[in-house]
Amino acid sequence: MSRWLRWFWRGFGRRQAHLGRETMTLIDRFTADYGAVQKIDAFAFLKHLEDNPDASRKHGKVVLVTADTPLKASRGEGKTTTTIALIDALRSRGIDAAAVLRQPSMGITAAGSKGGASGGGKASLTHPELVDWGLCGEMAAIAAAQNLLVSFAEKAVDEGRLDEILVPRVSEVPSRSLRQIAVDRGKGDIPERVVLTPTCELMQIVVLSRSMEEISARVGAMIAGTKDGKPVVFRDFIDLWRITNILGDAVKPAATRTVGGSPVYVHGGPFANVSIGIPTLVSVEMACALHDVVVVEAGYGTDAGAQKWLDIACREYGAQWPSAAVVVTRATTWRDDPALSWRYPFHVRRLEGLGIPTFPLINLWSGEDDQTDSLRGAAHDLGFREPVVGNLFRDGGDALAPQLDDFVDAVTSSDTGDSQVDSHKGMPVVEDVRWVANSAYGVPAERVVARAGFEESLARAAHLMDGVGGDIDDLALVAVKSPATMTDDDSAPEASRTVTLKKVEIHAGAGLVQVNLTTSLTTPMPKIV
């Protein structure tokens, strides 16, 4: 082929590609194939909508799928399976529904400790192995970026800029030996620690940010460590593009589908007990611009992920208040331990008390079909809305579709409003914890007690914020707690349940203050199955 013909065909191809883009839907312009899934530049898409208010878009309503507090941290109640079955059922009824899921932690969740994050059986994703074992490398990129920050902090120690490192290294694979470590510098050891990637501050920053510029600013505001007792932030000694370049693809949600063909977006992976437990805000906002109903899965129980969606994402970061909620439970979790059976009704009533239409969903396991009538009867006796009952692993959305009349009516008629989303900025940290304990755990303020050393921990955290020109009371509260308990002892009588304040940690870049309550670890070990 002559040089002229090669030039012509290259130009023809470019012109044809340009014409093709003109006929694509808007979201296609921000979407690229990434192996078996697609990646969407949600930042650019949402910015385009902001700059072009007349652009065609939807204003989808958010439905929150949450759960009973599990009997054990190593067992799930079936939130992801329910989420997938729910959107399949809604779409079978002609409703444009989609789901937004978090990516699981490869070292804990997908290793068999509590199942993956891709559903199961008939309520599964098309490529569960991708979601469960690393997806498109988002978790690895966040880990690499956070660990690079720590490496810069170690170099800053060598150069005399720091004498203490506060930001932890991260790993996707847990190791008890790495919870507390010391780095030999040749001039004396520097204490450090390692936490699981989903629990780290950089993951929180990615989840809460709405642009790369915001991510850069938040990373710059992370406290690297101290020098002579004064906090030092990363923007003081590193070029932030070194970090944001690593995150270029990690900030783009992945798009996949259920085996039934329903759209699902997967992005972000923070744990709900030791972090914020919600998918990225941009993935939810993007989905709401594309679909009429967006089902968002929040981590662990209603006391964890749902509490953080409402009190962090909605109150402090402008996320949408849910139009309805589904609280998933197993029959065994709800009824078989009399000392803990109070928790499920508490969760349902709490959300109803916030004006959120809340639907109990009992996720049956094999051999439990004969319990359906008694479960419905128990739900009616408690004054719940009509319960939804089914074996979703076996039957998927087919089990839910005939039962969703009341649910669809509630979602379509719901007015999300803003009466429940007043910010808590400026509320003293301890007062904020007491508010959460009372509203989310059922423990009144007078039974929120401080362990020895808590006041010192709080004072140091406040000093760090003062040192970077901030106020600790302006940070959003993250309750760090056991995933399997709401209080110090959930089996105790109601009048004697307590919540103990243990320590405080600042995540200045993410804009969060973490308060440790019940037993919790940021490097939990997987269950051998």
Side-chain angles (χ1 to χ4, degrees), residues 232-291:
V232 179
V233 296
F234 278 109
R235 65 170 171 260
D236 289 343
F237 62 91
I238 68 166
D239 295 322
L240 297 174
W241 61 264
R242 300 174 186 273
I243 305 302
T244 55
N245 279 6
I246 298 175
L247 301 175
D249 278 339
V251 299
K252 299 175 183 177
T256 184
R257 292 191 172 271
T258 71
V259 293
S262 302
V264 175
Y265 307 99
V266 185
H267 202 213
F271 288 168
N273 63 313
V274 291
S275 186
I276 48 181
I278 57 177
T280 62
L281 298 186
V282 295
S283 63
V284 178
E285 291 170 9
M286 176 192 72
C288 287
L290 298 171
H291 306 280

Side-chain angles (χ1 to χ4, degrees), residues 310-392:
L310 300 175
D311 296 334
I312 298 176
C314 296
R315 291 185 189 280
E316 310 303 340
Y317 285 87
Q320 185 185 140
W321 194 256
S323 295
V326 174
V327 182
V328 185
T329 189
R330 296 188 192 183
T332 49
T333 307
W334 178 21
R335 301 192 310 173
D336 291 358
D337 189 334
L340 299 178
S341 61
W342 64 272
R343 300 192 304 190
Y344 188 64
F346 178 90
H347 293 321
V348 174
R349 290 168 180 155
R350 183 217 169 195
L351 294 178
E352 284 280 4
L354 293 172
I356 303 170
T358 303
F359 293 83
L361 186 145
I362 297 94
N363 180 30
L364 299 177
W365 281 51
S366 179
E368 294 181 342
D369 291 273
D370 60 352
Q371 298 186 40
T372 298
D373 289 342
S374 65
L375 289 165
R376 291 189 182 279
H380 290 148
D381 291 344
L382 289 165
F384 290 167
R385 293 175 186 263
E386 184 65 29
V388 180
V389 185
N391 185 322
L392 306 186

